[in-house]
Amino acid sequence: MKFRGHETFFIRKGWLTKGMKYVKRHPDVFVSKEEKPMDVLGIGSNMVRSLRYWMQAVGITKEPTHGKRTQQFTPLGELIYRYDRYIEEQGTLSLLQYELASNQEEATAWYFFFNEFQMLEFTRDDFIRSLKNYVLMKDEETSVADRSYQDDFSCIINTYIPRIKGGRLQFSPENNIACPLGELGLIDYVSQDRTIYRKTMVQPQMLSPYIALAMILLQHGDNTEVSLESLLHASKSIGRAFNLDMTTLMQLLKQLEQLGEVEVVRTAGLDVVHIMTEYTAQECIEQYYQDILKE
C-alpha cells in the first residue's frame, strides 16, 4: 500500500506529456546525477517526485524494483506515446482513470475510493474513517499518518473536481492548471458549503466501445464468460472505475454486441456476457486509436 506519493500535487495538464517526452529521451531522467531532473523538466523538486509517481500510478511507465530506477514505458504507455502523447482523446483519459482506480499498490486511496468505498454521498471524515478501517483490516502493522490520509483525500477531490468549480481564488499560475481527469466528472459537490460530495457517473459517450472492451479484458483475462454483476460491482471493474449503473453498462455492451465482440445473455435466469472477441486488450486500444485516425 502506498499513500501520498503525489506530494500533494494532482496531475497537471501537460505533465504526463512532458514526462513521456523525457522518459523516451532519457529513461533515467528522474534519477540522473549528470543532469538535474529539476533543470531538465523545468519543475520543482517536489513536483519532480510527484510526476515520477504519477507516471507509474496511471500505468504509463514502470521502474525496476532493484538496481538503477530508470523508467520504461509499459505497453499502454507505448501506445499512448505513439497515438496520443498530448492526452487529447477521451479514450486515453478513460484508460488512465481505469489504471489509476485499479492500482491497489501504488494508488491505494484511489483504489479504495472507487472499489471498496460504498458511500455515494460522503464527507472528508466519512472517507478517511473508512480508509483507516480498510488499512487496518488489510495489515494491522501498517502505520499511516493522518496527514497522509487527509492529503490523499484532497488530491482525489482536486483530481476530479476542477478547482475553479470550488470557487477558490488561485494566485499561482501553476495552481490554475486543472487535472485532465476532471473531464470525466466522477465527483461533484452536494452541499453549497462544499463539504459533502457525491460520486457521479461518467457520461456514456465518453466511453468508447473498444476502450470498454479493453478494460473488460484487463479485468477478466482469458475468461470467455463473465457475469454482469462482476462487470458492474467487482473490484477493478469498469463499473467501479466509472461509477456506472446497469443501464449505462448495458448500453456499452450493446454497442460491443453490434460489433460482434460480445454476446449478452439475459435469459433463463442468466445475466452473463460471452466474450467472443479475438482481440487482446492492447489490440483493442490500438483499434480505438486506428479508428480515430480514420475519422
Side-chain angles (χ1 to χ4, degrees):
M1 290 187 286
K2 189 168 187 174
F3 300 91
R4 207 177 179 273
H6 46 75
E7 300 284 334
T8 75
F9 296 106
F10 57 87
I11 301 169
R12 265 61 171 175
K13 185 177 181 180
W15 267 21
L16 299 178
T17 299
K18 178 182 288 189
M20 287 189 289
K21 173 184 175 181
Y22 285 103
V23 166
K24 187 69 174 178
R25 292 181 183 177
H26 308 290
D28 65 346
V29 62
F30 291 108
V31 295
S32 175
K33 295 180 180 178
E34 287 74 31
E35 298 182 80
K36 292 183 178 179
M38 289 185 292
D39 295 337
V40 174
L41 295 166
I43 53 179
S45 59
N46 288 350
M47 288 185 177
V48 168
R49 289 194 292 271
S50 180
L51 177 55
R52 180 183 180 183
Y53 166 77
W54 283 122
M55 294 287 286
Q56 298 172 83
V58 298
I60 290 177
T61 61
K62 59 184 178 181
E63 293 183 4
T65 55
H66 52 81
K68 192 170 184 180
R69 302 294 293 274
T70 56
Q71 291 214 350
Q72 301 292 335
F73 283 126
T74 63
L76 173 62
E78 290 281 6
L79 288 173
I80 292 175
Y81 183 78
R82 187 189 316 164
Y83 290 108
D84 188 25
R85 66 187 64 175
Y86 295 104
I87 319 292
E88 295 175 326
E89 302 298 340
Q90 291 177 342
T92 304
L93 291 178
S94 298
L95 288 166
L96 298 178
Q97 163 60 17
Y98 180 79
E99 290 289 330
L100 180 59
S102 302
N103 197 336
Q104 190 171 4
E105 291 303 315
E106 292 294 319
T108 306
W110 272 257
Y111 169 82
F112 172 77
F113 180 81
F114 286 101
N115 295 279
E116 306 288 345
F117 186 52
Q118 301 298 321
M119 298 181 71
L120 297 180
E121 294 190 359
F122 55 92
T123 65
R124 183 184 73 164
D125 290 345
D126 290 331
F127 175 78
I128 291 175
R129 181 171 57 252
S130 297
L131 180 55
K132 284 182 177 180
N133 289 336
Y134 170 79
V135 172
L136 183 63
M137 293 292 290
K138 286 292 182 181
D139 186 356
E140 292 184 358
E141 296 182 0
T142 297
S143 177
V144 181
D146 284 350
R147 177 66 181 273
S148 294
Y149 289 127
Q150 294 165 9
D151 287 347
D152 273 2
F153 178 78
S154 295
C155 197
I156 288 172
I157 295 301
N158 288 329
T159 294
Y160 300 105
I161 300 182
R163 291 167 79 94
I164 190 171
K165 189 172 183 178
R168 306 171 205 169
L169 293 175
Q170 302 299 319
F171 300 100
S172 166
E174 180 67 30
N175 286 339
N176 264 330
I177 301 175
C179 178
L181 295 179
E183 294 182 29
L184 297 172
L186 296 173
I187 303 177
D188 204 351
Y189 295 112
V190 174
S191 61
Q192 290 186 349
D193 63 0
R194 299 184 175 91
T195 60
I196 304 176
Y197 309 86
R198 73 158 63 93
K199 292 184 179 182
T200 50
M201 185 174 63
V202 71
Q203 293 298 310
Q205 64 270 21
M206 294 195 74
L207 286 175
S208 158
Y210 276 109
I211 295 297
L213 182 57
M215 295 172 191
I216 292 171
L217 294 173
L218 287 169
Q219 179 193 1
H220 289 283
D222 295 330
N223 292 338
T224 57
E225 182 177 291
V226 298
S227 69
L228 288 174
E229 177 67 20
S230 69
L231 292 178
L232 194 62
H233 294 305
S235 296
K236 303 183 181 181
S237 66
I238 185 174
R240 287 294 188 193
F242 297 94
N243 303 329
L244 298 183
D245 59 19
M246 182 60 79
T247 300
T248 303
L249 176 62
M250 286 302 300
Q251 289 175 2
L252 282 169
L253 292 173
K254 287 298 182 184
Q255 292 178 57
L256 287 170
E257 200 168 37
Q258 291 169 2
L259 292 168
E261 305 294 356
V262 305
E263 179 187 22
V264 181
V265 180
R266 304 200 72 179
T267 58
L270 296 176
D271 282 312
V272 298
V273 178
H274 293 152
I275 299 176
M276 302 161 61
T277 186
E278 296 183 358
Y279 286 127
T280 64
Q282 295 302 310
E283 288 168 344
C284 287
I285 297 168
E286 187 147 20
Q287 182 64 48
Y288 164 77
Y289 286 126
Q290 290 289 345
D291 288 345
I292 288 176
L293 292 176
K294 295 174 185 176
E295 293 177 357

